[in-house]
Amino acid sequence: MRASQDDFENAMNQVKLLKKDPGNEVKLKLYALYKQATEGPCNMPKPGVFDFINKAKWDAWNALGSLPKETARQNYVDLVSSLSSSSESSSQGKPGADREQQEYENLVVTSEDGITKIMFNRPTRKNAISTQMYQEIMLALKAASKDDSTITVVTGNGDYYSSGNDLANFTDIPPGGVEEKAKQSAIMLRDFVDTFIDFPKPLIAVVNGPAVGISVTTLGLFDAVYASDKATFHTPFSHLGLSPEGCASYTFPKIMGPAKATEMLIFGKKLTAREACAQGLVTEVFPDSTFQKEVWTRLKAYSKLPQNSMRISKQVIRKIEKEKLHAVNAEECSVLQKRWLSDECMNATMNFLSKRSKL
Ligand SMILES: CCCCCCCCCCC/C=C/C(=O)SCCNC(=O)CCNC(=O)[C@H](O)C(C)(C)COP(=O)(O)OP(=O)(O)OC[C@H]1O[C@@H](n2cnc3c(N)ncnc32)[C@H](O)[C@@H]1OP(=O)(O)O
C-alpha cells in the first residue's frame, strides 16, 4: 500500500520525537526524500564548494534523480518508521544484559572483572571520531569514573584504533556559520580533553592498530599504553593545516624530548609501535598474533589490585601537572579555533572529503 499524505505528515512529526539523533547521513537522506516528495527532482543551482552544509544537502537531493514523488514519500515514511522502532527498542533496555552499561551509537562499553572497556565502534570509518562520538566518549568516561570497576580501558574495534577526528565534522555547519562551528568545536574539544585530564582511575589504552590525530595526542594523558606491533602513531597536523591538541604540545616534548616531539607534531612523522615505545609514548609492544590474549591477561591481574590504592597513587602522580594540563588544553583549543578557519585547514579538509586523499 502506498503511503498517504497523512502517513507522510505523521512521519514528519515522528522525526521530531526521535529519542536518539539519527546522525548526519540519515538526516541528509530524510532531507532529500522530503524535498523529492514535496518538490520533485532537484532543480536548484549547485552551492559553492565552501558552502559545506548546503552542498551536502544538494548532493543528497540530486542523487535521487527522477525518483517519483510517491516513491520518495513512501521511502520517507519507511525510513522514519525504521528509526522510530530502533529508537524504541534501544530505550527499552535489555533484561539480563547488565554488564553492558548503556547503549551508545559509536561505542561498545562493557564492565567485567573490575575492568570497564570502552571500545570505539565505527570500524567501517576506521573509528573516526564524529561529533556525536566525542560526546559519547565523554559520557562513557564520566560513567566509568563513577562505576565500581578498578581500571578503565580504551580500545578500537576492527583494524584501526582510530583515524582521529572525523573530517566530516567540518561539514556540519550550524545556522551561525563556520565561525560559530569553530567556537562550539573549541568548547567541545576542551571538555573532551579535560575529561581525560581529570579521569581519576588508571586509564589504559589498548592500541589494536593504527592511531591518527587526536587518538594519538590523548595517549599522553593515559596511565599505560599497550600496542600491537601493527599499530602506528601519526599526528599529521601540518598536513591538515592544524596544530596539536590533547595537551600533546606539553606532554610529547616531556615524554620524548622536544626534538622527537617536533618530528611527530610539526613534521608529521609516523612512528611504528616499536619506535613509539622507544620514545616513551607506548608502555609495551606485543606481537599482533598474541596481543589481545597477553594484554587482557595482564589487565585482569592489574584489575585485582586494591582500588583505592591505585586511585590515590594516580592522584599523587598526576596532581602536580593537573593545573598545567588544563591551561595547555585551553591554549591549544583557542589556537585551533583560529586554525580551523584558515585556508590551509579548509583546503586540506576539502581535499580529503572530495578526493578522499590519503595521508
Ligand atoms: C569549522 C571547525 C570544525 C572543527 C571540528 C573539529 C572538532 C574537533 C577536532 C579535534 C582535533 C583532531 C584532530 C585530528 O584528529 S587530525 C587527524 C584527522 N584524521 C585524518 O586526517 C585521517 C584521514 N583518513 C585517512 O587518511 C585514511 O582514511 C586512513 C589513512 C586513516 C585509512 O586509509 P585506508 O585506505 O586504509 O582506508 P579508507 O581511507 O578507505 O577508510 C575507510 C573509510 O573511512 C573513511 N575515513 C577514515 N578516516 C576518516 C576520518 N578521519 N574522517 C572521515 N572519514 C574517514 C574513509 O574516507 C573511507 O570512507 P569511504 O569508504 O566512504 O571512502
Side-chain angles (χ1 to χ4, degrees):
M1 201 176 65
R2 291 269 165 146
S4 66
Q5 184 60 26
D6 274 357
D7 295 332
F8 185 53
E9 280 166 20
N10 279 340
M12 283 191 276
N13 289 330
Q14 265 180 308
V15 168
K16 296 179 200 140
L17 300 174
L18 287 175
K19 293 195 180 88
K20 246 204 258 174
D21 183 332
N24 287 338
E25 272 172 48
V26 174
K27 283 196 265 190
L28 278 175
K29 205 162 183 187
L30 285 169
Y31 167 83
L33 288 169
Y34 171 81
K35 294 295 272 185
Q36 191 87 4
T38 52
E39 296 178 32
C42 176
N43 55 5
M44 308 286 286
K46 187 173 183 171
V49 279
F50 288 111
D51 191 357
F52 300 125
I53 199 152
N54 285 322
K55 185 169 171 303
K57 285 176 161 180
W58 187 92
D59 284 340
W61 183 10
N62 191 48
L64 295 180
S66 56
L67 187 78
K69 278 185 170 184
E70 298 70 30
T71 315
R73 192 161 71 180
Q74 178 70 55
N75 292 356
Y76 182 94
V77 170
D78 290 345
L79 179 55
V80 174
S81 150
S82 71
L83 293 171
S84 306
S85 53
S86 73
S87 105
E88 267 161 33
S89 61
S90 70
S91 65
Q92 276 165 3
K94 287 184 187 161
D98 55 349
R99 290 185 188 287
E100 195 157 327
Q101 297 177 329
Q102 189 182 333
E103 293 281 336
Y104 295 94
E105 186 112 344
N106 305 290
L107 305 175
V108 176
V109 181
T110 46
S111 264
E112 208 169 346
D113 295 329
I115 304 174
T116 291
K117 178 169 84 167
I118 299 172
M119 183 165 71
F120 304 142
N121 191 31
R122 287 184 88 206
T124 55
R125 316 299 296 172
K126 308 290 178 195
N127 295 326
I129 307 175
S130 61
T131 306
Q132 185 184 347
M133 195 163 154
Y134 282 107
Q135 303 293 350
E136 290 187 358
I137 296 168
M138 284 189 262
L139 279 177
L141 283 171
K142 281 178 186 147
S145 72
K146 295 190 202 102
D147 70 16
D148 58 7
S149 63
T150 51
I151 62 175
T152 301
V153 174
V154 177
T155 190
N157 185 15
D159 57 346
Y160 261 64
Y161 175 66
S162 165
S163 62
N165 183 46
D166 188 325
L167 295 174
N169 289 338
F170 283 86
T171 59
D172 187 13
I173 307 297
V178 72
E179 283 85 3
E180 181 59 27
K181 171 79 185 187
K183 194 171 153 199
Q184 286 172 8
S185 301
I187 294 170
M188 180 195 72
L189 179 61
R190 187 170 168 186
D191 287 348
F192 180 76
V193 175
D194 277 346
T195 310
F196 285 84
I197 298 172
D198 292 330
F199 196 75
K201 305 175 182 180
L203 182 63
I204 291 135
V206 170
V207 186
N208 52 297
V212 186
I214 191 158
S215 74
V216 177
T217 53
T218 44
L219 292 177
L221 301 170
F222 279 69
D223 302 298
V225 178
Y226 297 120
S228 149
D229 59 6
K230 282 205 174 146
T232 52
F233 299 82
H234 194 195
T235 48
F237 299 130
S238 302
H239 300 71
L240 293 166
L242 292 173
S243 53
E245 83 291 288
C247 293
S249 62
Y250 177 70
T251 56
F252 279 28
K254 201 161 174 256
I255 291 169
M256 57 187 80
K260 294 292 183 190
T262 296
E263 278 203 306
M264 280 194 85
L265 296 176
I266 302 184
F267 302 139
K269 182 179 177 191
K270 189 194 285 185
L271 299 193
T272 63
R274 297 211 184 284
E275 286 167 339
C277 191
Q279 306 304 348
L281 183 62
V282 165
T283 311
E284 194 170 332
V285 182
F286 299 81
D288 193 63
S289 55
T290 55
F291 177 58
Q292 297 290 344
K293 190 164 175 274
E294 288 195 65
V295 166
W296 288 103
T297 305
R298 183 175 306 188
L299 291 175
K300 277 179 194 162
Y302 290 167
S303 71
K304 295 191 173 52
L305 293 168
Q307 183 169 22
N308 291 337
S309 169
M310 287 201 286
R311 190 187 267 264
I312 287 164
S313 296
K314 170 161 180 171
Q315 217 178 347
V316 171
I317 295 167
R318 299 266 167 184
K319 193 174 173 196
I320 200 157
E321 291 284 39
K322 242 190 186 180
E323 211 179 310
K324 176 80 187 168
L325 290 169
H326 283 301
V328 170
N329 183 24
E331 174 64 12
E332 288 178 344
C333 292
S334 138
V335 172
L336 267 172
Q337 187 176 333
K338 297 184 198 100
R339 287 311 304 157
W340 289 328
L341 301 175
S342 69
D343 287 348
E344 287 178 343
C345 173
M346 295 246 190
N347 290 340
T349 307
M350 283 304 296
N351 203 24
F352 176 81
L353 292 174
S354 56
K355 295 191 208 134
R356 298 287 186 212
S357 68
K358 303 285 155 59
L359 294 165

